[in-house]
Amino acid sequence: MNKIVFAISMMLLMGLKSFALTPTEVLDKCAATISHRNGVTAQFSMESAQYGNAAGTISIKGKKFYMLSNATTMWFDGTTLWTYMASNEEVNISKPTTQQLQTLNPYHFINMYKSGYSTTMTTAASVYNIHLTATDKQLKIKEAFVTVDKSTYAPKEIKMLVGNKWTTFTISRLKNEPVPDSKFSFDANAYPDAEIIDLR
């Protein structure tokens, strides 16, 4: 009888182990959740020793994003970034590098984790906690923590170490909803008094 119970227990344990996800598999599922072809929108708050604090909404569609916060508004169409600062009615136009985008867009980790990082993971009752450590010394983000909801695979928090300063994004109310491509480009007619500074 004891041998039968032992055998059944081992089979159950092996079955559970086969269903356990790796950190990369969890991040793959998370990336799929926020990579809806029609776009996704969420609310976020940011705490940063380097960039200050901000809160607002972000919309993502592929490589494009639109971010509206209490401090700035950003439009990125996949190539060009427009940054509007309401305090001085100024719009900066630039072509950011991939590493610059990693610190601007909290969802850029969708591709970041796929190369140049080692990953470990712990689990809690309702979330996966994934730790990324840069294996490439050239990478701007040296370390990151990503908290992923177990039931939806939506990101709940992203914490990134850039240099020796941490930036933390908290994400909520993620929705798959159509986002028009026009939302990712700056409309100069909507800001007639803004000074345009082209840094490209």
Side-chain angles (χ1 to χ4, degrees), residues 42-117:
Q43 293 186 355
F44 76 93
S45 62
M46 178 184 78
E47 294 182 7
S48 175
Q50 185 171 0
Y51 302 107
N53 299 340
T57 60
I58 184 169
S59 296
I60 308 249
K61 190 176 184 180
K63 294 182 178 180
K64 305 171 185 178
F65 73 88
Y66 166 77
M67 186 184 295
L68 173 65
S69 76
N70 52 341
T72 60
T73 306
M74 294 183 183
W75 302 259
F76 181 66
D77 65 0
T79 302
T80 303
L81 174 69
W82 295 265
T83 304
Y84 171 70
M85 290 164 282
S87 59
N88 56 7
E89 288 199 76
E90 182 178 291
V91 178
N92 291 327
I93 307 175
S94 62
K95 287 193 174 182
T97 65
T98 298
Q99 290 199 3
Q100 287 171 333
L101 285 171
Q102 287 177 350
T103 60
L104 292 172
N105 181 357
Y107 288 125
H108 203 76
F109 79 91
I110 294 172
N111 295 310
M112 180 186 83
Y113 72 90
K114 294 179 180 178
S115 62
Y117 291 88

Side-chain angles (χ1 to χ4, degrees), residues 20-193:
L21 296 173
T22 66
T24 300
E25 287 171 336
V26 172
L27 290 174
D28 285 343
K29 288 178 176 290
C30 182
T33 298
I34 60 178
S35 298
H36 195 276
R37 62 187 181 88
N38 290 325
V40 296
T41 298
Q43 293 186 355
F44 76 93
S45 62
M46 178 184 78
E47 294 182 7
S48 175
Q50 185 171 0
Y51 302 107
N53 299 340
T57 60
I58 184 169
S59 296
I60 308 249
K61 190 176 184 180
K63 294 182 178 180
K64 305 171 185 178
F65 73 88
Y66 166 77
M67 186 184 295
L68 173 65
S69 76
N70 52 341
T72 60
T73 306
M74 294 183 183
W75 302 259
F76 181 66
D77 65 0
T79 302
T80 303
L81 174 69
W82 295 265
T83 304
Y84 171 70
M85 290 164 282
S87 59
N88 56 7
E89 288 199 76
E90 182 178 291
V91 178
N92 291 327
I93 307 175
S94 62
K95 287 193 174 182
T97 65
T98 298
Q99 290 199 3
Q100 287 171 333
L101 285 171
Q102 287 177 350
T103 60
L104 292 172
N105 181 357
Y107 288 125
H108 203 76
F109 79 91
I110 294 172
N111 295 310
M112 180 186 83
Y113 72 90
K114 294 179 180 178
S115 62
Y117 291 88
S118 62
T119 58
T120 58
M121 182 173 69
T122 60
T123 61
S126 61
V127 297
Y128 297 103
N129 296 303
I130 300 168
H131 182 202
L132 295 90
T133 305
T135 55
D136 183 348
K137 293 183 179 179
Q138 302 300 316
L139 293 170
K140 193 169 185 179
I141 297 176
K142 304 302 180 187
E143 193 175 357
F145 292 89
V146 181
T147 302
V148 179
D149 186 285
K150 277 187 176 180
S151 61
T152 64
Y153 291 100
K156 294 173 71 74
E157 183 179 273
I158 303 164
K159 185 177 181 180
M160 300 179 289
L161 179 64
V162 181
N164 61 352
K165 296 180 179 179
W166 287 96
T167 295
T168 302
F169 291 94
T170 302
I171 296 104
S172 62
R173 299 184 184 179
L174 179 70
K175 296 179 181 178
N176 290 335
E177 58 185 22
V179 183
D181 288 337
S182 59
K183 193 165 188 174
F184 305 107
S185 296
F186 173 71
D187 180 5
N189 293 325
Y191 300 85
D193 299 324

